Every structure is written in C-alpha cells, then in structure tokens.
Amino acid sequence: MSIPEALNVRTPEFAVPRHVAIIMDGNGRWASTRGLPRSEGHRRGVEALRRTVRAAGDLGIGILTIFSFSAENWARPANEVRELMGLLRRFIRNDLAELNQSGVHVRVIGEREDLSSDIRSLLEEAEELTLNNTKLTLVVAFNYGARQEIARAAQRLAIEVAAGRLPASAITAEAITAHLDAPDLPDPDLIIRTSGEQRLSNFLLWQAAYSELVFVPTYWPDFDRSTLEGAIAEYRRRERRFGGLIAQTGS
Ligand code: IPE
Ligand code: IPE
Ligand code: MG
C-alpha cells in the first residue's frame, strides 16, 4: 500500500480530507419520528445532499462519495424501491445542469446491469456532460455493494489469467485496486455515517482499510454544513498511522 504523502503525521489543524465518503442513513427514522411517510424522509434527504455537495465544494474537498442505494436495498418493499429510483431520476434531471455549472464531475460506482435502461442512460449522461469538470468529483454509489465490487475485480483478473495473459502471481492487492469500479480515485480519508448506526453495510470495504470512521447521530435529512464541519473537526483530531509510527524520523 502506498502511504499518502505527508499523512503519516498528526493531521494538521487546517487539513481538509481529500476524499470524504458518506453513508447517508436515517431518512426513514427522520420521517417516522415526525409521523410522516418514509418517502418524505427520502425526499428531504435529497435536499440534504444538495446542501452537502455545495458545502463540500466550498470546503475544498476534492472527492465526495455518497452511498445512495445499496445492492441489498432491493430487499425493501417494491414501492420504496420505486420511490428511491424515482428520486435518483429527478435528482439527475433537476440538478445536472447546476452541478455541471458549479464544476462538479459526476461519477457512478456499482452494478448498472440491474438498473432500468432510462436510469442507465441518465447516469451516462451525467458522467459524459461533467467529464471535464475539476472542482469536485461527486461519486454516486448506486446499486453498490463492496463485496460485489471486489468480486467483479477478481472476475476481471481471472479472465486475464484464464486467457494466459496474466500469471496468477500478478493478482496482488494493487492489481485488485486497479480493477475496482473507480480505480483512479484515492481511498477515502474520512467515512461519515449518519443516524447513529456504527457499521459499513457493505460500503467501500476494500478502500476503507485506513479510512477514519466518524459516526454522527444526526439523521441524514438534518445533515448540513455544520455537521460536515463537525465530522471534519473530529477527523483532524485523529492520528493516522498507516501501520507506521507518528512523526517517523527515519532513525
Ligand atoms: C437512508 O435512509 C436511505 C437509503 C438507505 C436508501 P434509510 O431509508 O435507511 O432510513 P432508516 O435507516 O430506515 O431510518
Ligand atoms: C446503507 O444503509 C445503504 C445506504 C445508505 C444507501 P441501510 O439503511 O441500507 O443499512 P442497514 O440495513 O441499516 O445496515
Ligand atoms: Mg438505514
């Protein structure tokens, strides 16, 4: 594993994590504590997402990955799945132009084959339109599961081995990383999960090896710039060691 430059020391007070990933959780509970349908929580969750994308850009975060729909979320009632698919459609249709104008590069990770063709086209349109933007990369994890992503990487490598183009000894950690859905992106520095749950739920398992995890009690629809700043403040208090020692002098 390569150690990110200058990170093998106490995180400086001013440091902004380069890559922040968020498990946007708690929409349903936000709604039920208010006697509202879960769908209202999801709708308000999209507003929190808009706020968060703007705040991330303002704070100088380079990459924001958001967990929008997990490979396991198909297990929810059909009407809720339909609602979540509809929200993604509406988010891209309504927000793509503004995201593009603000310099956001949209990328998507996850399995696209199970998605309806109109959603696949919208995701492709978003990626193509924003391809050259550099202010913020917004990685949308949709129909995403980390175990499935790692299995896909293993399959791609196995095809090369079976065809005799690669020796089995070439299947290294670096080679698996290079065959993930977004192989060029650095690992997340900070993973935030909202709603008080303290688990990864099959999100970025490979990439999270040395990520700092911050769990906040806030339900996702209430997440805003100050919650994000609070999580970053917590990140700054952490010591990242990557298996080494703090302030190594080489002696
Ligand atoms: C997050 O909120 C949205 C998705 C997982 C799609 P939830 O819908 O999981 O809300 P809770 O966890 O039931 O409160
Ligand atoms: C994880 O949340 C998935 C997303 C946020 C999209 P879940 O609500 O699906 O996770 P569990 O079921 O509580 O672990
Ligand atoms: Mg949940």
Side-chain angles (χ1 to χ4, degrees):
M1 194 202 64
S2 64
I3 295 171
E5 223 176 285
L7 278 180
N8 195 20
V9 290
R10 187 184 294 275
T11 312
E13 268 165 43
F14 51 83
V16 173
R18 179 154 65 136
H19 182 177
V20 176
I22 306 184
I23 302 172
M24 309 185 292
D25 197 15
N27 293 350
R29 280 164 284 167
W30 181 92
S32 53
T33 57
R34 288 164 176 76
L36 298 168
R38 289 176 60 85
S39 55
E40 184 59 18
H42 294 314
R43 211 182 56 70
R44 294 288 291 263
V46 176
E47 289 171 22
L49 173 60
R50 289 193 182 103
R51 285 197 296 274
T52 305
V53 171
R54 272 196 294 272
D58 293 347
L59 293 170
I61 291 165
I63 304 158
L64 177 68
T65 297
I66 48 153
F67 202 6
S68 302
F69 189 85
S70 80
E72 289 78 30
N73 285 150
W74 296 103
R76 296 191 179 196
N79 66 339
E80 179 158 345
V81 170
R82 250 195 319 276
E83 170 78 26
L84 291 166
M85 295 293 153
L87 279 178
L88 175 76
R89 278 191 193 93
R90 263 173 282 154
F91 176 67
I92 296 182
R93 289 199 186 117
N94 296 338
D95 290 51
L96 183 58
E98 195 191 321
L99 289 169
N100 188 38
Q101 266 168 9
S102 16
V104 176
H105 177 192
V106 179
R107 295 181 62 169
V108 182
I109 57 174
E111 180 56 78
R112 291 195 212 190
E113 263 174 33
D114 313 331
L115 300 173
S116 66
S117 61
D118 70 312
I119 290 193
R120 285 207 305 262
S121 316
L122 279 170
L123 295 175
E124 279 162 28
E125 183 191 335
E127 288 179 312
E128 281 164 24
L129 180 72
T130 62
L131 189 63
N132 296 316
N133 292 342
T134 55
K135 177 154 172 67
L136 172 73
T137 299
L138 176 65
V139 183
V140 181
F142 199 83
N143 192 23
Y144 175 86
R147 287 180 168 179
Q148 293 84 339
E149 180 189 34
I150 296 164
R152 279 196 293 282
Q155 277 176 23
R156 289 172 195 143
L157 285 162
I159 289 169
E160 297 298 303
V161 173
R165 289 190 289 267
L166 206 66
S169 60
I171 302 182
T172 58
E174 288 74 18
I176 291 174
T177 299
H179 287 78
L180 295 174
D181 289 352
D184 53 310
L185 296 181
D187 291 340
D189 301 294
L190 167 62
I191 298 180
I192 302 167
R193 183 169 187 149
T194 60
S195 87
E197 304 298 348
Q198 304 196 1
R199 56 178 170 262
L200 288 175
S201 301
N202 202 13
F203 185 50
L204 302 178
L205 299 182
W206 182 273
Q207 299 88 331
Y210 277 98
S211 302
E212 296 298 330
L213 309 181
V214 172
F215 301 100
V216 298
T218 314
Y219 291 144
W220 176 249
D222 288 330
F223 194 89
D224 61 11
R225 175 186 300 253
S226 74
T227 334
L228 178 61
E229 285 173 344
I232 292 174
E234 169 66 30
Y235 166 82
R236 287 175 179 146
R237 288 191 286 272
R238 304 278 176 89
E239 274 179 2
R240 303 189 77 189
R241 304 195 188 112
F242 300 98
L245 298 174
I246 289 300
Q248 277 174 327
T249 57
S251 56

